[in-house]
Amino acid sequence: MTDKEALRVSKIENGTVIDHISAGQALNVLAILGIDGFGEDVVSIGMNVPSDRLGRKDVVKVEGRELSQSELDVLSLIAPAATINIIRDFDVVDKHRVERPESVTGVLRCPNHNCITTEAEPVDSEFDVVSDGVRCEYCGTIIREDIAAHILV
Ligand code: CTP
Ligand code: ZN
């Protein structure tokens, strides 16, 4: 971490730092975490922070909370280079990269209105992660761009 960044977003005592987010994706990361500004979460956001590895990056720090596996799975789709840092008593006690899952269940809405997963009957959506996006298991529709816009809330 550079001194410049230290001045931008201060360290946290406990929680999760999502670092090396693709620049421009911070608000989508908040959406994935269900953070809309009306909850109790204490959140710090850095956007377009200079980064050696990425040129520019976004950073999201969520205090007092760790992420679920399904949150991490969707995160990996929009921020494949993200690093998850678990912070306890100001120390980084765990650091790992997000991993691209084989599939994601119940987190994305199929854009096909005739798809069984979008009808009244509750069928969990399931998308396979493919090279050019994610593909609906039920109707084959592929979401290639702006995956974040299809996140179920
Ligand atoms: N961080 C934080 N609060 C802490 C400790 C770390 O907000 N108490 C943040 C840092 O600002 C940084 C990230 O967590 O964005 C990872 O911290 P650290 O591993 O110390 O930084 P780097 O070595 O630069 O990480 P990397 O090698 O992953 O780039
Ligand atoms: Zn579908």
Side-chain angles (χ1 to χ4, degrees), residues 38 41-42 45 90 111 122 127-128 139 141 146 150:
F38 294 100
D41 287 308
V42 179
I45 305 161
F90 289 104
F127 285 82
D128 289 328
C139 73
T141 299
D146 203 4
H150 300 274

Side-chain angles (χ1 to χ4, degrees), residues 46-111:
M47 288 182 184
N48 287 318
V49 177
S51 155
D52 291 343
R53 183 144 45 102
L54 300 175
R56 297 271 164 176
K57 67 175 182 181
D58 290 354
V59 183
V60 171
K61 304 186 179 189
V62 189
E63 296 187 38
R65 143 156 185 207
E66 297 192 8
L67 309 190
S68 70
Q69 191 56 50
S70 69
E71 287 171 331
L72 292 170
D73 284 351
V74 198
L75 205 66
S76 76
L77 301 178
I78 65 156
T83 313
I84 307 299
N85 298 276
I86 308 299
I87 313 295
R88 290 206 189 109
D89 290 330
F90 289 104
D91 289 333
V92 178
V93 296
D94 188 34
K95 181 194 290 283
H96 54 89
R97 293 278 296 268
V98 291
E99 282 172 47
R100 215 169 150 75
E102 280 181 16
S103 67
V104 288
T105 302
V107 288
L108 297 173
R109 185 192 308 278
C110 184

